[in-house]
Structures are given as C-alpha cells and as structure tokens.
Amino acid sequence: MPTLDELLKKYNIDATVNPQSGPRAKLLSQANRMLEQLAKYKTEQELDGVTTQYWWAPQSVDGKRRVSARYSGKVVEGMAVYADNTLEAVKAAVDTFRKLVEESDDATWAHEEERRKKK
C-alpha cells in the first residue's frame, strides 16, 4: 500500500500550501513542483499534453513553447514567456521564474491579488 506522502506526490497535491498561504509561498511551491516534474523528463516530446496542467503549454507553436507562472489555477499577469521548444529552455524559464519568486515577498504580488479579486 502506498503511503499518504506517495499518493499526495502522485496526484500533485501539495499539502504544505494551505489557503492562508500567501501568493509567494504558493508560487514557490508550484515552481518547485514544475521543476520536479521536468527533472523526470528525458525529451521535449514529454512536454506535450492535452491539458494545461503545468506551467508550460501542452503544445509548441513554431518551435516555441509558452511558459507561464500560475498559482491557484490562474496565470500571473505578465509572467509568461516563449521559450525554445527544448527541455533545457523550458527548465531555464521555470527556474528563472522560481528565482524571481524567491526574491519577492507577498507585497510583490499585491497587485496580482487585487486583480484576481476583481474578476
């Protein structure tokens, strides 16, 4: 029988992030999850999918793949780039977003939080 931790990992559930967590914690947690997922891949074909469940688009267009930071199921405004459709380029884009988030605090994301409340 799998442990609860193994099941949480399998279904991409991060129990350390609760609704009271700020946007920085949520983004950092998501970024780490994306990098963990990318570490399992060997080729860019594995980036392809049917749904947008990760920070990278499920398909590439003209040799580029959109990478966008998201938390709570929504893309963060202004945090989307087009990376070359290679595993290295997509990893680098996610890693750059992660570094940006690490240097931030919750106040950095106040504008994003306000924007989300208005919808």
Side-chain angles (χ1 to χ4, degrees), residues 9 12 35-42 46 87 91:
K9 251 195 181 107
N12 277 334
L35 291 168
E36 273 176 34
Q37 188 63 36
L38 287 167
K40 297 174 189 170
Y41 293 168
K42 304 276 180 271
E46 291 175 272
L87 208 45
K91 269 185 198 170

Side-chain angles (χ1 to χ4, degrees), residues 1-8 10-11:
M1 273 316 252
T3 66
L4 178 58
D5 275 352
E6 289 165 345
L7 287 169
L8 289 170
K10 178 182 176 183
Y11 289 100

Side-chain angles (χ1 to χ4, degrees), residues 98-112:
R98 186 187 184 288
K99 287 176 184 155
L100 182 156
V101 173
E102 271 187 327
E103 287 184 34
S104 73
D105 61 20
D106 279 344
T108 308
W109 309 104
H111 175 74
E112 177 67 17

Side-chain angles (χ1 to χ4, degrees), residues 50-67:
V50 255
T51 62
T52 308
Q53 66 181 98
Y54 300 118
W55 281 14
W56 52 91
Q59 291 88 30
S60 67
V61 177
D62 298 329
K64 299 279 185 191
R65 192 174 295 260
R66 187 168 196 256
V67 180

Side-chain angles (χ1 to χ4, degrees), residues 20-90:
Q20 289 79 40
S21 291
R24 181 184 180 274
K26 290 175 185 168
L27 274 164
L28 214 44
S29 167
Q30 287 297 312
N32 288 333
R33 233 167 41 85
M34 296 305 121
L35 291 168
E36 273 176 34
Q37 188 63 36
L38 287 167
K40 297 174 189 170
Y41 293 168
K42 304 276 180 271
T43 68
E44 39 271 356
Q45 282 75 38
E46 291 175 272
L47 294 167
D48 292 345
V50 255
T51 62
T52 308
Q53 66 181 98
Y54 300 118
W55 281 14
W56 52 91
Q59 291 88 30
S60 67
V61 177
D62 298 329
K64 299 279 185 191
R65 192 174 295 260
R66 187 168 196 256
V67 180
S68 44
R70 59 181 78 221
Y71 71 93
S72 302
K74 294 180 185 152
V75 172
V76 177
E77 192 175 49
M79 280 188 74
V81 295
Y82 283 89
D84 288 336
N85 188 38
T86 66
L87 208 45
E88 284 69 36
V90 171

